[in-house]
Amino acid sequence: MTLRISMEWLQEYIELAEQAEELAEALTLSGTEVEQIVDLGVGWDGVVVARIVEARLVPGSDHLKVLQLEVGEDRVQVVSGAPNIAAGDLVPLAPPGTKLPNGMTVGARKFMQTASEGMVLSALELGISSEHDGILVLGQEGESGVPLSELMPRDRVLVVETTSNRPDLLCHLGIARELAAIYDRPIKDWHGTPREDGGPSPIGVEILDDDLCARYQARHLDGVSVGPSPSWMQRRLRAVGQRPISNAVDAANYAMLETGQPLHVFDYDKLKGGIVVRRALGGEQLLALDGKTRTLTPEMLVIADEAGPIALAGIIGGLDSAVSATTSKVVVEAANFLGTNVRATSRKLALRTDASTRFEKQLHPELVPMGSRRVVELLQDIAEAGPAAEVAEVYAHPMRNQPIAVRPGFVGEVLGDAVGDAEVERDLRRLGFKVEAAEPGLRATPPPYRLDVKEPVDLVEEVGRLRGYNSIPSTLPGRRLPVARVMPAPDVEWAAKDIAVGAGFDEVIVQSFVAPDEPRVGSFPTTRLRLANPMASDQSTMRTTLLPGLARVLAHNAASGAPGARVFELGHVFWPREAGELPEEPRLLGLGIHLGASGPQVSPAAVRTALLELKGTLQMLVGRLSSIELESEQVEVPGLHPGRSLRLRLAGQEAGALGQLHPEIAAGFESDIVVVAELNFEPVAANPRLPRAEAVSRHPAVLRDLAITVPELTPARDAINTILGVSEVILRSVDLYDEYRGRQVDPGRKGLTFRLTFQAGDRTLTGEEVSAAEARILHSLKAEIDALPRA
């Protein structure tokens, strides 16, 4: 999951003098990847806040809308095609003459004879994120006409990609803990002191299905005054992509983004009786906060009162129990739900929220009281809430992390580094582990927010990532025993990847699930297997080729400001067999090069060079790893540009394709010019090249350039095969290094120039021997492919 971390917000928990770039590198090297650093407020000069007063369709259009905007005391008219336009919303407006962060200058324009005096902006156009499916909505509370930088002051935001086993990092406090461990720096005392002397709780809590809900807390607060959140809270929420709604809702969202525990606030006066956590009854419905009514099934967990469901557990609250401007009493919910059940419900309803994204990764029940106390404190600070009543809670089976025993020297053995036990203890303490001496070795208990550390090897990983894997020396794996036998041949997959990386390509891993209407590209089967339970509608079939995925990766890189990418993937595809049989899962090797926008920027020569580079890379890879030969022929291949595509063969069998992506297919990926290649890797792996030792000749080689002309449609491969077919024991290699078409050759013919290398192992060759061999080669070329010497 991607998370946005505000540097200004982060300073609440840890003192950081380091620049964002240094923090990003430190986090990435410790296992928490920082994908991007966003500079909020940079390049926003002239951008102001406007309120949408009215929106109506442009005459003659079915999607363009003309907006009447309030900008301070003025009114401005703007045309926009954004789908998320709603009256009352505050949005960023760039008046004519404004220069945007992407270099574009906004001007006054007309759309279908309707004047547009500026432009309402998306997050992409402001340089905040890659989201461009609508304008950036700033909420409804606040003034119009003020500079955007007043609502969203300058800040630096880390865009962090967390792994699925670390939901504890999906919050500012989690990232602060990581940085505190990396820099051996204390966390500031952030624990609040909410007032909790409000007497007995007026609400009861019951869990009927404790296999799906491990813990549930409800806190009642009176005297709440619902209204806009303070500016500091709105600023921080906007910085991380959240839209401020009201102080009651914002407090829950803020506490979640701070502690990692999702929270919800109910209007107490709208509840009927106590809270019951149970499975839904067949046919029950919930009108959710998004305004949609959903029919529930018995495997779904709900939060209910006496009248029925008031929330879908771990996913979304109900509209009928939501807080409003008239709310004065609230119930704060903090709970822990079974992640697999939340994930299944979210997938079945096609409903994914910030809460479900966290719950489905399985949070620790010990996060519940921390999040609950924090949101109570915030409501008391910003919404005038009174003291909280006693906690109403059910926690039938408390979860406690168990200590993990580690024998002396184990961590250093597995890491392959001289890590002493004292250093292991120190590193684990920095990561929040409770460490005790044990005989022999030590016992380490994971902190209460970690569920992913269970085995001694997990502790090794913790120590290794904290020290930085880049700082650990390269050593032999295992127990460092001497090599007692001949090393086995290297793994052919790793060897192929090493060759591709050496040729300048970066490895990518693309999702195997694809959309059912994925365009056909390449020469492999097109019938795709359908998934019985897809994660999403656009991931409902299994891929049969790598090429569309590689094209999509190249397009995404270009759209993200990284054109010219060169990528490869070695992965499985899925080809259907007869009914009832499991699919064939061959490994394919795909390569792709992004060249840039079409037009004069990319010449046909550049495309041809890239195609030859792909072909050369595959030839080199097959030649090094396999005993079979890669052949090609120019034919039209589905999804590739006519005249710029080749079919590939291995041992005479069709094995893939190479060429430029067809412009229509590229346009579907929102891509520029892309050249791709794909090869069935199974024949390569099944026919390994057996290396043979051969004495290196101590006698000099003789190089001769052989220039010939051949009929224009004759492939150069035919000439090379003819040369190699001549029984010349002194011929060591043949390389084509020039191909010519022009006035210096006869019409209908082309020129080819080869570099021939002659060498004997037992003597120095004479000029007469080499000339005689060259003459025999020319004779064969003339007889077999109508080749003539070129002057």
Side-chain angles (χ1 to χ4, degrees):
M1 176 182 174
T2 300
L3 177 73
R4 293 168 66 89
I5 297 294
S6 160
M7 288 287 295
E8 185 254 349
W9 192 345
L10 200 60
Q11 298 280 357
E12 286 281 317
Y13 319 110
I14 181 173
E15 292 185 4
L16 295 169
E18 292 79 8
Q19 294 296 312
E21 289 77 9
E22 183 179 340
L23 299 178
E25 182 178 10
L27 285 168
T28 300
L29 291 176
S30 70
T32 304
E33 181 183 359
V34 178
E35 291 188 338
Q36 185 183 5
I37 299 173
V38 177
D39 289 304
L40 294 183
V42 176
W44 294 0
D45 294 342
V47 179
V48 297
V49 177
R51 186 184 304 277
I52 301 175
V53 177
E54 180 187 357
R56 52 185 172 79
L57 285 174
V58 172
S61 174
D62 61 354
H63 71 284
L64 289 178
K65 293 182 180 179
V66 55
L67 314 181
Q68 300 299 325
L69 303 176
E70 170 194 283
V71 185
E73 300 292 329
D74 301 325
R75 288 291 182 97
V76 174
Q77 177 174 292
V78 171
V79 175
S80 173
N84 61 332
I85 292 170
D89 283 346
L90 295 174
V91 296
L93 168 68
T98 304
K99 188 171 184 179
L100 300 180
N102 60 10
M104 169 185 171
T105 300
V106 177
R109 299 178 59 188
K110 280 191 175 182
F111 296 89
M112 302 180 69
Q113 305 305 313
T114 301
S116 180
E117 305 167 35
M119 180 178 179
V120 287
L121 305 175
S122 67
L124 176 66
E125 289 151 345
L126 286 167
I128 295 175
S129 72
S130 60
E131 297 178 7
H132 57 87
D133 54 350
I135 54 176
L136 178 65
V137 178
L138 303 170
Q140 295 191 347
E141 299 296 335
E143 296 182 40
S144 66
V146 299
L148 178 61
S149 56
E150 285 193 15
L151 265 66
M152 299 179 66
R154 286 206 171 194
D155 192 3
R156 306 201 77 188
V157 175
L158 305 179
V159 182
V160 179
E161 179 70 30
T162 61
T163 54
S164 59
N165 66 320
R166 293 297 306 276
D168 61 294
L169 295 179
L170 294 174
C171 60
H172 283 72
L173 185 57
I175 298 299
R177 291 192 200 104
E178 286 290 289
L179 292 170
I182 293 169
Y183 291 110
D184 196 10
R185 198 170 294 169
I187 291 283
K188 296 180 184 178
D189 182 14
W190 66 276
H191 294 84
T193 55
R195 302 190 306 281
E196 298 180 301
D197 53 350
S201 175
I203 190 164
V205 172
E206 183 180 9
I207 299 178
L208 299 184
D209 295 280
D210 59 7
D211 57 328
L212 302 183
C213 178
R215 188 174 192 176
Y216 193 98
Q217 277 192 358
R219 292 174 182 258
H220 176 271
L221 292 98
D222 201 347
V224 176
S225 177
V226 177
S229 297
S231 59
W232 64 266
M233 179 174 283
Q234 293 193 34
R235 179 180 75 245
R236 288 182 177 178
L237 290 175
R238 289 191 181 102
V240 297
Q242 290 279 339
R243 187 178 70 174
I245 299 173
S246 70
N247 52 8
V249 177
D250 294 349
N253 288 335
Y254 188 94
M256 177 188 69
L257 294 168
E258 183 177 49
T259 67
Q261 170 66 44
L263 301 137
H264 187 66
V265 181
F266 296 108
D267 186 325
Y268 173 76
D269 291 328
K270 296 178 181 177
L271 301 182
K272 298 173 178 61
I275 288 176
V276 181
V277 184
R278 60 169 173 81
R279 283 178 167 86
L281 305 178
E284 278 189 316
Q285 292 185 326
L286 174 71
L287 174 59
L289 286 171
D290 60 1
K292 297 180 181 179
T293 299
R294 292 176 172 84
T295 301
L296 311 179
T297 55
E299 68 272 11
M300 299 176 181
L301 190 70
V302 298
I303 314 301
D305 61 9
E306 293 177 357
I310 57 174
L312 194 56
I315 301 177
I316 195 170
L319 190 60
D320 293 337
S321 59
V323 296
S324 64
T326 61
T327 298
S328 61
K329 300 176 183 179
V330 299
V331 175
V332 174
E333 171 194 271
N336 181 267
F337 303 111
L338 183 66
T340 52
N341 181 261
V342 173
R343 184 185 307 117
T345 301
S346 174
R347 184 182 302 171
K348 188 166 185 177
L349 295 176
L351 176 61
R352 193 173 178 86
T353 62
D354 287 339
S356 68
T357 300
R358 287 166 170 80
F359 276 125
E360 70 182 22
K361 294 172 174 57
Q362 196 53 64
L363 299 177
H364 201 297
E366 292 303 311
L367 288 175
V368 167
M370 179 172 63
S372 179
R373 287 173 57 86
R374 181 55 172 150
V375 73
V376 166
E377 181 186 36
L378 288 170
L379 287 171
Q380 290 171 346
D381 287 345
I382 69 173
E384 302 177 8
E390 294 176 1
V391 178
E393 178 178 26
V394 177
Y395 191 17
H397 307 288
M399 181 183 294
R400 300 288 184 265
N401 288 340
Q402 298 302 308
I404 303 168
V406 182
R407 62 174 174 79
F410 176 77
V411 173
E413 284 182 10
V414 178
L415 279 180
D417 196 8
V419 183
D421 292 341
E423 295 175 278
V424 171
E425 179 177 348
R426 181 200 64 198
D427 290 349
L428 291 176
R429 289 187 188 278
R430 286 166 57 182
L431 287 163
F433 287 73
K434 179 182 177 182
V435 185
E436 303 172 302
E439 189 58 43
L442 55 83
R443 282 197 304 268
T445 304
Y449 44 83
R450 295 289 297 274
L451 279 175
D452 60 310
V453 181
K454 300 176 182 178
E455 305 289 340
V457 290
D458 296 330
L459 298 179
V460 176
E461 180 180 0
E462 291 297 299
V463 172
R465 70 180 188 83
L466 181 60
R467 299 171 72 86
Y469 290 122
N470 59 319
S471 67
I472 297 175
S474 298
T475 60
L476 290 173
R479 293 293 184 263
R480 297 351 177 228
L481 298 177
V483 178
R485 59 185 176 81
V486 176
M487 292 286 289
D491 181 85
V492 67
E493 278 196 24
W494 282 105
K497 292 179 180 181
D498 194 48
I499 292 171
V501 170
F505 294 84
D506 294 313
E507 184 178 11
V508 297
I509 300 176
V510 183
Q511 177 66 262
S512 296
F513 309 125
V514 299
D517 58 350
E518 183 92 303
R520 183 184 180 188
V521 183
S523 55
F524 289 131
T526 57
T527 302
R528 288 191 287 270
L529 294 165
R530 289 189 170 273
L531 297 174
N533 187 22
M535 292 187 294
S537 59
D538 61 350
Q539 297 179 3
S540 60
T541 61
M542 304 297 291
R543 65 181 180 181
T544 61
T545 173
L546 304 180
L547 297 184
L550 291 178
R552 192 174 290 109
V553 168
L554 293 170
H556 176 74
N557 274 269
S560 301
R566 302 157 57 90
V567 299
F568 80 93
E569 181 181 13
L570 179 53
H572 290 276
V573 295
F574 305 86
W575 295 344
R577 299 183 195 260
E578 296 294 330
E581 293 188 21
L582 291 175
E584 184 181 0
E585 299 183 30
R587 290 169 294 178
L588 303 186
L589 173 67
L591 302 168
I593 301 176
H594 178 269
L595 293 176
S598 58
Q601 299 94 326
V602 181
S603 66
V607 176
R608 182 171 178 271
T609 299
L611 292 172
L612 290 174
E613 189 173 355
L614 288 183
K615 182 181 177 184
T617 300
L618 290 178
Q619 287 176 328
M620 176 175 61
L621 186 144
V622 173
R624 288 187 185 179
L625 301 182
S626 179
S627 59
I628 56 179
E629 187 174 356
L630 179 66
E631 301 173 340
S632 62
E633 59 177 331
Q634 187 169 349
V635 296
E636 287 194 17
V637 177
L640 299 182
H641 198 299
R644 297 180 181 176
S645 58
L646 299 175
R647 178 184 292 130
L648 303 177
R649 295 182 180 275
L650 287 171
Q653 300 296 316
E654 184 168 337
L658 180 153
Q660 178 187 338
L661 202 64
H662 194 286
E664 292 181 0
I665 301 294
F669 291 122
E670 298 183 4
S671 177
D672 304 320
I673 292 181
V674 167
V675 293
V676 291
E678 184 172 50
L679 182 70
N680 189 343
F681 192 71
E682 297 301 339
V684 177
N687 297 274
R689 180 176 179 269
L690 301 177
R692 294 188 301 172
E694 185 175 316
V696 178
S697 176
R698 293 187 291 177
H699 301 279
V702 178
L703 304 181
R704 290 285 177 91
D705 288 344
L706 176 64
I708 59 174
T709 66
V710 296
E712 188 168 8
L713 297 181
T714 301
R717 169 55 59 185
D718 290 354
I720 293 175
N721 290 339
T722 300
I723 295 172
L724 295 174
V726 179
S727 299
E728 292 296 337
V729 295
I730 62 173
L731 180 64
R732 287 289 180 262
S733 65
V734 181
D735 296 301
L736 173 69
Y737 75 86
D738 185 49
E739 182 175 339
Y740 175 78
R741 291 176 176 82
R743 291 177 296 177
Q744 298 183 26
V745 297
D746 294 337
R749 298 180 72 85
K750 65 181 177 181
L752 301 174
T753 304
F754 298 94
R755 174 66 53 84
L756 308 181
T757 302
F758 298 93
Q759 190 177 37
D762 57 350
R763 67 190 187 283
T764 298
L765 295 175
T766 65
E768 290 76 9
E769 287 180 287
V770 173
S771 296
E774 194 173 9
R776 288 190 291 272
I777 290 171
L778 275 170
H779 178 76
S780 294
L781 288 170
K782 178 175 176 56
E784 295 187 23
I785 61 170
D786 189 24
L788 300 173
R790 179 181 164 199

